[in-house]
Coordinates of all heavy atoms in Angstrom, one line a residue:
M1 N -66.0 -102.9 -255.6 CA -66.4 -102.8 -254.2 C -66.9 -101.3 -253.9 O -68.0 -101.1 -253.4 CB -65.2 -103.1 -253.4 CG -65.6 -103.1 -251.9 SD -64.4 -104.1 -251.0 CE -65.5 -104.6 -249.7
I2 N -66.0 -100.4 -254.3 CA -66.4 -99.0 -254.2 C -66.4 -98.4 -255.6 O -65.5 -98.6 -256.4 CB -65.3 -98.2 -253.4 CG1 -65.3 -98.6 -251.9 CG2 -65.4 -96.7 -253.6 CD1 -64.2 -98.0 -251.1
E3 N -67.5 -97.7 -255.9 CA -67.6 -97.1 -257.2 C -68.2 -95.7 -257.1 O -69.3 -95.5 -256.6 CB -68.5 -98.0 -258.2 CG -68.5 -97.4 -259.6 CD -69.0 -98.4 -260.6 OE1 -69.6 -99.5 -260.2 OE2 -68.8 -98.2 -261.8
L4 N -67.4 -94.7 -257.5 CA -67.9 -93.3 -257.5 C -68.1 -92.9 -259.0 O -67.3 -93.2 -259.8 CB -66.8 -92.4 -256.9 CG -66.4 -92.6 -255.5 CD1 -65.4 -91.6 -255.1 CD2 -67.6 -92.7 -254.5
K5 N -69.2 -92.3 -259.2 CA -69.5 -91.8 -260.6 C -69.9 -90.3 -260.5 O -70.8 -89.9 -259.8 CB -70.7 -92.5 -261.2 CG -70.3 -93.9 -261.7 CD -71.4 -94.5 -262.6 CE -71.1 -96.0 -262.9 NZ -72.3 -96.8 -263.1
N6 N -69.1 -89.5 -261.2 CA -69.4 -88.1 -261.4 C -69.7 -87.4 -260.1 O -70.6 -86.6 -259.9 CB -70.6 -87.8 -262.3 CG -70.2 -88.2 -263.7 OD1 -69.1 -87.9 -264.2 ND2 -71.1 -88.8 -264.4
I7 N -68.8 -87.7 -259.1 CA -69.0 -87.1 -257.8 C -68.6 -85.6 -257.8 O -67.5 -85.2 -258.3 CB -68.2 -87.9 -256.7 CG1 -68.8 -89.2 -256.4 CG2 -68.1 -87.0 -255.4 CD1 -70.1 -89.3 -255.6
K8 N -69.5 -84.8 -257.2 CA -69.2 -83.4 -257.0 C -69.5 -83.0 -255.6 O -70.5 -83.5 -255.0 CB -70.1 -82.6 -258.0 CG -70.0 -81.1 -257.9 CD -70.9 -80.5 -258.9 CE -70.9 -79.0 -258.8 NZ -71.9 -78.3 -259.6
K9 N -68.6 -82.2 -255.0 CA -68.9 -81.7 -253.7 C -68.7 -80.2 -253.6 O -67.6 -79.7 -253.9 CB -68.0 -82.4 -252.7 CG -68.1 -81.9 -251.2 CD -69.5 -82.3 -250.6 CE -69.7 -81.8 -249.3 NZ -71.0 -82.2 -248.7
T10 N -69.7 -79.5 -253.3 CA -69.7 -78.1 -253.2 C -69.9 -77.7 -251.8 O -70.9 -78.1 -251.2 CB -70.7 -77.4 -254.1 OG1 -70.4 -77.8 -255.5 CG2 -70.6 -75.9 -254.0
Y11 N -69.0 -76.9 -251.2 CA -69.3 -76.4 -249.8 C -69.9 -75.0 -249.9 O -69.5 -74.2 -250.7 CB -67.9 -76.3 -249.1 CG -67.3 -77.6 -248.7 CD1 -66.1 -78.0 -249.3 CD2 -67.9 -78.4 -247.7 CE1 -65.5 -79.2 -248.9 CE2 -67.2 -79.6 -247.3 CZ -66.1 -80.0 -247.9 OH -65.5 -81.1 -247.6
K12 N -70.9 -74.8 -249.1 CA -71.6 -73.5 -249.1 C -71.4 -72.9 -247.7 O -71.7 -73.5 -246.7 CB -73.1 -73.6 -249.4 CG -73.3 -74.0 -250.8 CD -74.8 -74.1 -251.2 CE -74.9 -74.5 -252.7 NZ -75.7 -75.7 -252.9
T13 N -70.7 -71.7 -247.7 CA -70.5 -71.0 -246.5 C -71.1 -69.6 -246.6 O -70.6 -68.8 -247.3 CB -69.0 -70.9 -246.1 OG1 -68.4 -72.2 -246.3 CG2 -68.8 -70.4 -244.7
G14 N -72.3 -69.5 -246.1 CA -73.0 -68.2 -246.4 C -73.3 -68.1 -247.8 O -73.8 -69.0 -248.5
A15 N -72.8 -67.0 -248.4 CA -73.0 -66.7 -249.8 C -71.9 -67.4 -250.7 O -72.0 -67.4 -251.9 CB -73.1 -65.2 -250.1
L16 N -70.9 -67.8 -250.0 CA -69.7 -68.4 -250.7 C -70.0 -69.9 -251.1 O -70.4 -70.6 -250.2 CB -68.5 -68.3 -249.9 CG -67.8 -67.0 -249.8 CD1 -66.5 -67.1 -248.9 CD2 -67.3 -66.5 -251.2
E17 N -69.6 -70.2 -252.3 CA -69.7 -71.6 -252.7 C -68.4 -72.0 -253.2 O -67.7 -71.3 -254.0 CB -70.7 -71.8 -253.9 CG -72.1 -71.8 -253.4 CD -73.1 -72.3 -254.5 OE1 -72.6 -72.9 -255.5 OE2 -74.3 -72.1 -254.4
Y18 N -67.9 -73.2 -252.8 CA -66.6 -73.6 -253.3 C -66.7 -75.1 -253.7 O -67.2 -75.9 -252.9 CB -65.5 -73.5 -252.2 CG -64.2 -73.9 -252.7 CD1 -63.4 -73.1 -253.5 CD2 -63.7 -75.2 -252.4 CE1 -62.2 -73.5 -254.0 CE2 -62.5 -75.6 -252.9 CZ -61.7 -74.8 -253.7 OH -60.5 -75.2 -254.2
T19 N -66.4 -75.4 -254.9 CA -66.5 -76.8 -255.4 C -65.2 -77.5 -255.1 O -64.2 -77.2 -255.8 CB -66.9 -76.9 -256.9 OG1 -68.2 -76.3 -257.0 CG2 -67.0 -78.3 -257.4
A20 N -65.2 -78.3 -254.1 CA -63.9 -79.0 -253.7 C -63.6 -80.2 -254.6 O -62.5 -80.6 -254.8 CB -64.0 -79.4 -252.3
L21 N -64.7 -80.9 -255.1 CA -64.5 -82.1 -255.9 C -65.4 -81.9 -257.1 O -66.6 -81.5 -257.0 CB -65.0 -83.4 -255.2 CG -64.2 -83.8 -253.9 CD1 -64.8 -85.0 -253.3 CD2 -62.7 -84.0 -254.3
K22 N -64.8 -82.1 -258.3 CA -65.5 -82.0 -259.5 C -65.3 -83.2 -260.4 O -64.2 -83.6 -260.7 CB -65.0 -80.7 -260.3 CG -65.9 -80.0 -261.2 CD -65.2 -79.0 -262.0 CE -64.8 -77.8 -261.2 NZ -64.1 -76.7 -262.0
N23 N -66.5 -83.9 -260.7 CA -66.4 -85.0 -261.7 C -65.4 -86.1 -261.3 O -64.5 -86.4 -262.0 CB -66.1 -84.4 -263.1 CG -66.6 -85.3 -264.2 OD1 -67.6 -86.0 -264.0 ND2 -65.9 -85.4 -265.3
I24 N -65.6 -86.6 -260.1 CA -64.7 -87.7 -259.6 C -65.3 -89.1 -260.0 O -66.4 -89.4 -259.6 CB -64.5 -87.6 -258.1 CG1 -64.0 -86.2 -257.7 CG2 -63.6 -88.8 -257.6 CD1 -62.6 -85.9 -258.1
N25 N -64.5 -89.8 -260.7 CA -64.9 -91.2 -261.0 C -63.8 -92.1 -260.5 O -62.6 -91.9 -260.7 CB -65.0 -91.4 -262.5 CG -66.2 -90.6 -263.1 OD1 -67.3 -91.0 -262.9 ND2 -65.9 -89.5 -263.6
L26 N -64.2 -93.1 -259.7 CA -63.2 -94.0 -259.1 C -63.8 -95.4 -258.9 O -65.0 -95.5 -258.5 CB -62.9 -93.4 -257.7 CG -62.0 -94.2 -256.8 CD1 -60.5 -94.2 -257.3 CD2 -62.0 -93.7 -255.4
V27 N -63.0 -96.4 -259.2 CA -63.4 -97.8 -258.8 C -62.3 -98.4 -258.0 O -61.1 -98.2 -258.3 CB -63.6 -98.6 -260.1 CG1 -63.8 -100.1 -259.7 CG2 -64.8 -98.1 -260.9
V28 N -62.7 -98.9 -256.8 CA -61.7 -99.6 -256.0 C -62.3 -101.0 -255.8 O -63.4 -101.2 -255.3 CB -61.6 -98.9 -254.6 CG1 -60.5 -99.6 -253.8 CG2 -61.2 -97.5 -254.8
N29 N -61.5 -102.0 -256.2 CA -61.9 -103.4 -256.0 C -61.3 -104.0 -254.8 O -60.4 -103.4 -254.2 CB -61.4 -104.2 -257.2 CG -62.2 -103.8 -258.5 OD1 -63.4 -103.7 -258.5 ND2 -61.5 -103.4 -259.5
Q30 N -61.9 -105.1 -254.3 CA -61.4 -105.8 -253.2 C -59.9 -106.1 -253.4 O -59.5 -106.5 -254.4 CB -62.2 -107.1 -253.0 CG -61.9 -107.7 -251.6 CD -63.0 -108.6 -251.2 OE1 -63.9 -109.0 -252.0 NE2 -63.1 -109.0 -249.9
N31 N -59.1 -105.9 -252.3 CA -57.7 -106.1 -252.3 C -56.9 -105.1 -253.0 O -55.7 -105.2 -253.1 CB -57.3 -107.5 -252.8 CG -57.9 -108.6 -251.9 OD1 -58.0 -108.5 -250.7 ND2 -58.3 -109.7 -252.5
D32 N -57.5 -104.1 -253.6 CA -56.8 -103.0 -254.2 C -56.1 -102.3 -253.1 O -56.6 -102.2 -252.0 CB -57.7 -102.0 -255.0 CG -58.1 -102.5 -256.3 OD1 -57.6 -103.5 -256.8 OD2 -58.9 -101.8 -257.0
Y33 N -54.9 -101.7 -253.4 CA -54.2 -100.9 -252.5 C -53.9 -99.6 -253.2 O -53.3 -99.6 -254.2 CB -52.8 -101.7 -252.2 CG -52.0 -101.1 -251.1 CD1 -52.1 -101.5 -249.8 CD2 -51.0 -100.1 -251.4 CE1 -51.4 -101.0 -248.8 CE2 -50.3 -99.6 -250.4 CZ -50.4 -100.1 -249.1 OH -49.6 -99.5 -248.1
I34 N -54.5 -98.6 -252.6 CA -54.4 -97.3 -253.4 C -53.9 -96.2 -252.5 O -53.9 -96.3 -251.2 CB -55.8 -96.8 -253.9 CG1 -56.8 -96.5 -252.8 CG2 -56.4 -97.9 -254.8 CD1 -58.0 -95.8 -253.3
A35 N -53.3 -95.2 -253.1 CA -52.8 -94.0 -252.4 C -53.5 -92.8 -253.0 O -53.8 -92.7 -254.2 CB -51.3 -93.9 -252.6
L36 N -53.9 -91.9 -252.1 CA -54.6 -90.7 -252.5 C -53.6 -89.5 -252.3 O -53.2 -89.3 -251.1 CB -55.8 -90.5 -251.6 CG -56.8 -89.3 -251.8 CD1 -57.3 -89.3 -253.2 CD2 -57.9 -89.4 -250.8
M37 N -53.2 -88.9 -253.3 CA -52.2 -87.9 -253.3 C -52.6 -86.6 -253.9 O -53.4 -86.6 -254.9 CB -50.9 -88.4 -254.0 CG -50.3 -89.7 -253.3 SD -48.7 -90.1 -254.0 CE -49.2 -90.6 -255.7
G38 N -52.2 -85.5 -253.3 CA -52.5 -84.2 -253.9 C -52.1 -83.1 -253.0 O -51.8 -83.3 -251.8
T39 N -52.0 -81.9 -253.5 CA -51.5 -80.8 -252.7 C -52.6 -80.4 -251.7 O -53.7 -80.9 -251.8 CB -51.3 -79.6 -253.6 OG1 -52.5 -79.3 -254.4 CG2 -50.1 -79.8 -254.6
S40 N -52.1 -79.6 -250.7 CA -53.1 -79.2 -249.7 C -54.2 -78.4 -250.3 O -54.0 -77.6 -251.1 CB -52.3 -78.3 -248.7 OG -53.2 -77.9 -247.7
G41 N -55.4 -78.8 -249.9 CA -56.6 -78.2 -250.5 C -57.1 -78.8 -251.7 O -58.1 -78.3 -252.3
S42 N -56.5 -79.9 -252.2 CA -57.0 -80.5 -253.4 C -58.2 -81.4 -253.2 O -58.8 -81.8 -254.2 CB -55.8 -81.3 -254.1 OG -55.4 -82.4 -253.2
G43 N -58.6 -81.7 -252.0 CA -59.8 -82.4 -251.7 C -59.7 -83.8 -251.2 O -60.7 -84.6 -251.2
K44 N -58.5 -84.2 -250.7 CA -58.3 -85.5 -250.2 C -59.2 -85.8 -249.0 O -59.9 -86.9 -249.0 CB -56.8 -85.7 -249.8 CG -55.8 -85.4 -250.9 CD -54.4 -85.6 -250.4 CE -54.0 -84.6 -249.3 NZ -53.9 -83.2 -249.7
S45 N -59.2 -84.9 -248.0 CA -60.1 -85.2 -246.9 C -61.6 -85.2 -247.2 O -62.3 -86.0 -246.7 CB -59.8 -84.2 -245.8 OG -58.5 -84.3 -245.3
T46 N -61.9 -84.3 -248.2 CA -63.3 -84.2 -248.6 C -63.7 -85.6 -249.2 O -64.8 -86.1 -248.9 CB -63.4 -83.1 -249.7 OG1 -63.1 -81.9 -249.1 CG2 -64.8 -83.0 -250.3
L47 N -62.8 -86.1 -250.0 CA -63.1 -87.4 -250.7 C -63.2 -88.5 -249.6 O -64.1 -89.4 -249.6 CB -62.0 -87.8 -251.7 CG -62.2 -89.1 -252.4 CD1 -63.5 -89.1 -253.2 CD2 -61.0 -89.3 -253.4
M48 N -62.3 -88.5 -248.6 CA -62.3 -89.6 -247.6 C -63.6 -89.5 -246.7 O -64.1 -90.5 -246.3 CB -61.0 -89.4 -246.7 CG -59.8 -89.8 -247.4 SD -59.8 -91.5 -248.1 CE -60.0 -92.5 -246.7
N49 N -64.0 -88.2 -246.5 CA -65.3 -88.1 -245.7 C -66.4 -88.7 -246.5 O -67.3 -89.3 -245.8 CB -65.5 -86.6 -245.4 CG -64.5 -86.0 -244.4 OD1 -63.8 -86.7 -243.7 ND2 -64.5 -84.7 -244.4
L50 N -66.4 -88.6 -247.8 CA -67.5 -89.1 -248.6 C -67.4 -90.7 -248.6 O -68.4 -91.4 -248.4 CB -67.5 -88.6 -250.0 CG -67.7 -87.1 -250.2 CD1 -67.6 -86.8 -251.7 CD2 -69.0 -86.7 -249.7
L51 N -66.2 -91.2 -248.8 CA -66.0 -92.6 -248.8 C -66.4 -93.3 -247.5 O -66.9 -94.4 -247.4 CB -64.5 -93.0 -249.1 CG -64.1 -92.7 -250.6 CD1 -62.6 -92.9 -250.7 CD2 -64.9 -93.5 -251.6
G52 N -66.1 -92.5 -246.4 CA -66.5 -93.1 -245.0 C -67.9 -92.8 -244.7 O -68.4 -93.0 -243.5
A53 N -68.7 -92.2 -245.6 CA -70.1 -91.8 -245.4 C -70.3 -90.8 -244.2 O -71.3 -90.8 -243.5 CB -71.0 -93.0 -245.2
L54 N -69.3 -90.0 -243.9 CA -69.4 -89.0 -242.9 C -70.0 -87.8 -243.5 O -70.5 -86.9 -242.8 CB -68.0 -88.6 -242.4 CG -67.2 -89.8 -241.7 CD1 -65.8 -89.3 -241.3 CD2 -68.0 -90.3 -240.5
D55 N -70.0 -87.7 -244.8 CA -70.6 -86.5 -245.5 C -71.2 -87.0 -246.8 O -70.9 -88.2 -247.2 CB -69.4 -85.5 -245.8 CG -70.0 -84.1 -246.0 OD1 -71.2 -83.9 -246.0 OD2 -69.2 -83.2 -246.2
T56 N -72.0 -86.2 -247.4 CA -72.7 -86.7 -248.7 C -72.3 -85.8 -249.8 O -72.1 -84.6 -249.6 CB -74.2 -86.6 -248.5 OG1 -74.6 -85.3 -248.0 CG2 -74.7 -87.6 -247.5
P57 N -72.2 -86.4 -251.0 CA -71.9 -85.6 -252.2 C -73.0 -84.6 -252.6 O -74.2 -84.9 -252.3 CB -71.6 -86.6 -253.3 CG -72.3 -87.8 -252.9 CD -72.4 -87.8 -251.4
T58 N -72.7 -83.6 -253.3 CA -73.7 -82.6 -253.8 C -74.4 -83.3 -255.0 O -75.6 -83.2 -255.1 CB -73.0 -81.3 -254.3 OG1 -72.2 -80.8 -253.2 CG2 -74.0 -80.3 -254.7
S59 N -73.6 -84.0 -255.8 CA -74.2 -84.8 -256.8 C -73.3 -86.0 -257.2 O -72.2 -86.0 -256.7 CB -74.6 -84.0 -258.1 OG -73.4 -83.4 -258.6
G60 N -73.8 -86.9 -258.0 CA -73.1 -88.1 -258.3 C -73.5 -89.3 -257.5 O -74.3 -89.1 -256.6
S61 N -72.9 -90.4 -257.8 CA -73.4 -91.6 -257.1 C -72.2 -92.4 -256.5 O -71.1 -92.4 -257.0 CB -74.1 -92.6 -258.0 OG -73.2 -93.1 -259.0
Y62 N -72.5 -93.0 -255.3 CA -71.5 -93.7 -254.6 C -72.1 -95.1 -254.3 O -73.1 -95.2 -253.6 CB -71.2 -93.0 -253.3 CG -70.3 -93.8 -252.3 CD1 -69.6 -94.9 -252.7 CD2 -70.1 -93.3 -251.0 CE1 -68.7 -95.6 -251.8 CE2 -69.3 -94.0 -250.1 CZ -68.6 -95.1 -250.5 OH -67.8 -95.8 -249.6
T63 N -71.5 -96.1 -254.9 CA -72.0 -97.5 -254.8 C -71.0 -98.3 -254.0 O -69.8 -98.3 -254.3 CB -72.2 -98.1 -256.2 OG1 -73.0 -97.2 -256.9 CG2 -73.0 -99.4 -256.0
L64 N -71.4 -98.9 -252.9 CA -70.6 -99.7 -252.1 C -71.1 -101.2 -252.1 O -72.3 -101.4 -251.7 CB -70.6 -99.1 -250.7 CG -69.7 -99.8 -249.6 CD1 -68.2 -99.8 -250.0 CD2 -69.9 -99.1 -248.3
R65 N -70.3 -102.1 -252.5 CA -70.7 -103.5 -252.6 C -72.0 -103.6 -253.4 O -72.9 -104.3 -252.9 CB -70.9 -104.2 -251.2 CG -69.6 -104.4 -250.5 CD -69.9 -105.1 -249.2 NE -68.8 -105.2 -248.4 CZ -68.9 -105.4 -247.0 NH1 -70.0 -105.5 -246.5 NH2 -67.8 -105.6 -246.3
G66 N -72.2 -102.8 -254.4 CA -73.4 -103.0 -255.3 C -74.6 -102.2 -254.8 O -75.6 -102.2 -255.4
K67 N -74.4 -101.6 -253.6 CA -75.6 -100.8 -253.1 C -75.3 -99.3 -253.1 O -74.2 -98.9 -252.6 CB -75.9 -101.3 -251.7 CG -76.6 -102.6 -251.6 CD -77.0 -102.9 -250.1 CE -77.6 -104.3 -250.0 NZ -77.7 -104.7 -248.6
S68 N -76.3 -98.6 -253.4 CA -76.2 -97.1 -253.4 C -76.1 -96.7 -251.9 O -76.9 -97.1 -251.1 CB -77.4 -96.4 -254.0 OG -77.3 -95.1 -253.7
V69 N -75.0 -95.9 -251.6 CA -74.9 -95.5 -250.2 C -76.0 -94.7 -249.7 O -76.4 -94.7 -248.5 CB -73.5 -94.9 -250.0 CG1 -73.3 -94.2 -248.6 CG2 -72.4 -95.9 -250.2
D70 N -76.6 -93.9 -250.6 CA -77.8 -93.1 -250.3 C -78.9 -93.9 -249.6 O -79.6 -93.5 -248.8 CB -78.4 -92.5 -251.6 CG -77.6 -91.4 -252.2 OD1 -76.6 -91.0 -251.5 OD2 -78.0 -91.0 -253.3
Q71 N -79.0 -95.2 -250.1 CA -80.1 -96.0 -249.7 C -79.8 -96.9 -248.6 O -80.7 -97.7 -248.2 CB -80.6 -96.8 -251.0 CG -81.4 -95.8 -251.9 CD -81.4 -96.3 -253.3 OE1 -81.3 -97.5 -253.6 NE2 -81.5 -95.3 -254.2
L72 N -78.5 -97.0 -248.2 CA -78.2 -97.8 -247.0 C -78.8 -97.2 -245.8 O -78.8 -95.9 -245.6 CB -76.7 -97.9 -246.8 CG -75.9 -98.7 -247.9 CD1 -74.4 -98.6 -247.5 CD2 -76.4 -100.1 -247.9
N73 N -79.3 -98.0 -244.9 CA -79.7 -97.4 -243.6 C -79.1 -98.3 -242.5 O -78.4 -99.3 -242.8 CB -81.2 -97.3 -243.5 CG -81.9 -98.6 -243.6 OD1 -81.4 -99.6 -242.9 ND2 -82.9 -98.7 -244.4
L74 N -79.3 -98.0 -241.3 CA -78.7 -98.7 -240.1 C -79.0 -100.2 -240.2 O -78.2 -101.0 -239.7 CB -79.2 -98.2 -238.8 CG -78.6 -96.9 -238.3 CD1 -79.3 -96.4 -237.1 CD2 -77.1 -97.1 -238.1
Y75 N -80.2 -100.5 -240.7 CA -80.6 -101.9 -240.7 C -80.1 -102.7 -241.9 O -80.1 -103.9 -241.8 CB -82.1 -102.0 -240.6 CG -82.6 -101.1 -239.4 CD1 -83.1 -99.9 -239.6 CD2 -82.4 -101.6 -238.1 CE1 -83.4 -99.1 -238.5 CE2 -82.7 -100.8 -237.0 CZ -83.2 -99.5 -237.2 OH -83.5 -98.7 -236.2
S76 N -79.8 -102.0 -243.0 CA -79.3 -102.8 -244.1 C -77.8 -102.9 -244.2 O -77.3 -103.5 -245.1 CB -79.9 -102.2 -245.4 OG -79.4 -101.0 -245.6
R77 N -77.1 -102.2 -243.4 CA -75.7 -102.2 -243.4 C -75.1 -103.6 -243.0 O -75.4 -104.0 -241.9 CB -75.1 -101.1 -242.5 CG -74.5 -100.0 -243.2 CD -74.0 -98.9 -242.3 NE -74.4 -97.6 -242.8 CZ -74.5 -96.5 -242.0 NH1 -74.1 -96.6 -240.8 NH2 -74.8 -95.4 -242.6
T78 N -74.3 -104.2 -243.9 CA -73.8 -105.5 -243.5 C -72.3 -105.5 -243.7 O -71.8 -104.7 -244.5 CB -74.4 -106.6 -244.3 OG1 -74.4 -106.2 -245.7 CG2 -75.8 -106.9 -243.8
Ligands
ATP1 N1 -66.3 -77.7 -244.3 C1 -65.8 -76.9 -245.3 N2 -66.4 -75.8 -245.6 C2 -65.9 -75.0 -246.7 N3 -64.9 -75.3 -247.4 C3 -64.2 -76.5 -247.1 C4 -64.6 -77.3 -246.0 N4 -63.8 -78.4 -245.9 C5 -62.9 -78.2 -246.9 N5 -63.1 -77.0 -247.6 C6 -62.4 -76.5 -248.8 O1 -62.3 -77.6 -249.8 C7 -61.1 -77.7 -250.4 C8 -60.5 -79.1 -250.2 O2 -60.2 -79.3 -248.8 P1 -59.7 -80.6 -248.2 O3 -59.7 -80.5 -246.7 O4 -60.5 -81.8 -248.7 O5 -58.2 -80.7 -248.8 P2 -57.0 -81.7 -248.5 O6 -56.6 -82.3 -249.8 O7 -57.5 -82.7 -247.4 O8 -55.9 -80.7 -247.9 P3 -54.8 -81.0 -246.7 O9 -53.7 -81.7 -247.5 O10 -54.4 -79.7 -246.3 O11 -55.4 -81.9 -245.7 C9 -60.2 -76.6 -249.7 O12 -60.2 -75.4 -250.6 C10 -60.9 -76.3 -248.4 O13 -60.7 -75.0 -248.0
MG2 MG1 -56.8 -83.2 -245.5

């Protein structure tokens, strides 16, 4: 249902760059029940923002129900 491949997220603040997610691969199938755990600053919210399509990854692919989230638009969302 959800498939992340080699997801990377780099935040750029002025001249500063910080890679919050590096090489994330994840598959979540229907009815899976998962927990996202990690220390403060490990990137949990960053990952959730990507999964909710509130933010976009710097690189890598996010496939939701077989469709690339990059290519979803308001009219094709079902
Ligand atoms: N908008 C942003 N601009 C720059 N850096 C950011 C931004 N959001 C998060 N970061 C940095 O990315 C890293 C991961 O942050 P994130 O908020 O995803 O962690 P978290 O696991 O949710 O932490 P917490 O448990 O404290 O909520 C941190 O080093 C944080 O400072
Ligand atoms: Mg958080």
Side-chain angles (χ1 to χ4, degrees):
M1 184 158 210
I2 286 173
E3 188 166 11
L4 301 183
K5 280 192 194 152
N6 290 319
I7 289 286
K8 180 179 175 185
K9 178 67 184 179
T10 300
Y11 289 113
K12 291 184 181 122
T13 311
L16 281 180
E17 280 195 15
Y18 181 81
T19 299
L21 297 176
K22 208 188 288 180
N23 206 33
I24 303 295
N25 292 283
L26 173 73
V27 174
V28 183
N29 293 308
Q30 194 160 10
N31 299 323
D32 278 358
Y33 188 90
I34 68 167
L36 181 57
M37 299 190 290
T39 53
S40 180
S42 60
K44 302 180 297 294
S45 295
T46 300
L47 181 60
M48 290 307 295
N49 290 344
L50 297 179
L51 290 175
L54 299 175
D55 203 356
T56 52
T58 306
S59 62
S61 70
Y62 174 13
T63 310
L64 180 62
R65 290 183 187 160
K67 286 185 184 170
S68 169
V69 170
D70 287 354
Q71 286 155 26
L72 291 179
N73 63 45
L74 280 175
Y75 307 102
S76 65
R77 252 177 224 163
T78 49

